[in-house]
Amino acid sequence: MQTLTVEDITSYIHDLFEADSVLADVWVQGEVSNLTKASSGHWYFTVKDSKAQLRCVMFRSAAQYVRMDVKSGDEILVHGRVSVYDARGEYQLYADQIEPVGGVGDLYRQFEELKVKLDEEGLFDE
């Protein structure tokens, strides 16, 4: 029986991701959530749809060229490459471009509608 370290497994998976031509050049459509624009200029966010989510990072060198004011709830197209962040053993999209799809996404719209409904029922009253 072969025993591997966590680093060995993570490195192996990292190499698989890097060798995949589909993951090296991909556009993903989804709704932005958990957006953080760090003081370093890097952006950290998640794109999601009704069934899955994908963590993303956009480094300052790419973020400075984004032509839209990205906000949580926006429906976007994001381009980049999917790889493994070894330190956490997680895969993520390393984004280099963001384009608007148009308006807010369905998930955000449903969330806002639910908030209004619950507020009307008085569930937020003190």
Side-chain angles (χ1 to χ4, degrees), residues 2-20:
Q2 180 182 16
T3 302
L4 300 172
T5 66
V6 173
E7 180 183 9
D8 292 337
I9 292 292
T10 303
S11 179
Y12 181 79
I13 293 169
H14 182 111
D15 291 346
L16 290 175
F17 275 69
E18 293 295 317
D20 188 302

Side-chain angles (χ1 to χ4, degrees), residues 34-58:
N34 303 315
L35 175 65
T36 300
K37 295 180 179 179
S39 60
S40 64
H42 304 329
W43 295 4
Y44 303 94
F45 58 99
T46 301
V47 289
K48 61 184 181 179
D49 59 27
S50 63
K51 297 188 177 172
Q53 62 182 4
L54 175 63
R55 286 187 170 197
C56 303
V57 60
M58 178 175 257

Side-chain angles (χ1 to χ4, degrees), residues 61-81:
S61 58
Q64 66 185 346
Y65 295 108
V66 174
R67 297 181 310 258
M68 64 179 282
D69 180 25
V70 179
K71 300 177 298 305
S72 287
D74 288 347
E75 185 77 17
I76 63 167
L77 281 173
V78 57
H79 179 267
R81 67 180 175 83

